[in-house]
Amino acid sequence: ETVMTQSPATLSVSPGESATLSCRASQSVGTSLAWYQQKPGQTPRLLIYHASTRATGIPVRFSGRGSGTEFTLTITSLQSEDFAVYYCQQYLNWPPWTFGQGTKVEIK
Amino acid sequence: QVQLVESGGGLVRPGESLRLSCADSGFTFSGFYMSWIRQAPGKGLEWVSYINSDGLIFYADSVKGRFTISRDNVKKSLFLQMNSLRAEDTAVYYCAREDNTRSGHYLPYWGQGTLVTVSS
């Protein structure tokens, strides 16, 4: 099983600043890495797939990078609606498809 | 506009069964690969089960032998039969669907979730 580890667990950021979230895989997943955003009480929303491709309707302030075992999600100029929990998911080595434990981006 | 709507959640006792349904309002359903994902209260996302258009099926170790995934392409519906439920199965259960590119099991489409509570 490919274990996905996200860091930090919580990131405190002021509105307008940037945030960089990390996701590490226990073995290579190539670029088969997705990022999701989940707000309280809401369904997860796909942000990024193939490590760096924005999903339909996702603002350009969200960007993904990485390959192999190290990935980052960067959110530039954080807006109020961006404060949420973010999950990474690998889809190369399956089953199982595995998620990270999440990073909460909170208002500083 | 793709819309997935789950139903069937509820409160059950340990050892009991429950059947979840997920109705897809999209134009086509039969060709899509789908999964059930769950989220325990206050916890992260956990993949539970997968089914593709050819009937290939996988389960997480935590539910293998107890849960059964199936689909009805005529009714455009996905199901999860959950038997021998345990307290640790308590979660919101989401059905989720791939897009049509066959480029990997990332999930652009999710239902709103249905809550399953297992408690005595």
Side-chain angles (χ1 to χ4, degrees), chain B residues 45-83:
Chain B
L45 302 170
E46 179 190 16
W47 169 78
V48 173
S49 185
Y50 163 98
I51 186 168
N52 76 0
S53 58
D54 297 320
L56 180 66
I57 287 171
F58 295 109
Y59 299 99
D61 287 345
S62 57
V63 307
K64 202 172 294 183
R66 300 187 298 123
F67 289 12
T68 302
I69 192 171
S70 62
R71 64 192 296 163
D72 184 329
N73 291 331
V74 173
K75 295 182 178 178
K76 296 195 292 182
S77 292
L78 178 72
F79 305 99
L80 188 67
Q81 177 66 43
M82 304 186 295
N83 298 332

Side-chain angles (χ1 to χ4, degrees), chain A residues 39-103:
Chain A
K39 299 177 184 179
Q42 295 189 19
T43 293
R45 177 173 74 147
L46 178 69
L47 298 176
I48 301 284
Y49 60 96
H50 296 341
S52 61
T53 303
R54 274 186 300 276
T56 302
I58 301 304
V60 296
R61 64 180 181 272
F62 291 91
S63 62
R65 295 186 62 179
S67 66
T69 62
E70 301 284 343
F71 301 87
T72 58
L73 173 71
T74 299
I75 314 168
T76 57
S77 188
L78 269 150
Q79 308 294 302
S80 57
E81 62 266 30
D82 301 334
F83 292 96
V85 179
Y86 293 83
Y87 296 95
C88 61
Q89 177 225 342
Q90 68 83 21
Y91 50 92
L92 181 69
N93 306 316
W94 52 268
W97 292 265
T98 47
F99 293 87
Q101 80 281 15
T103 290

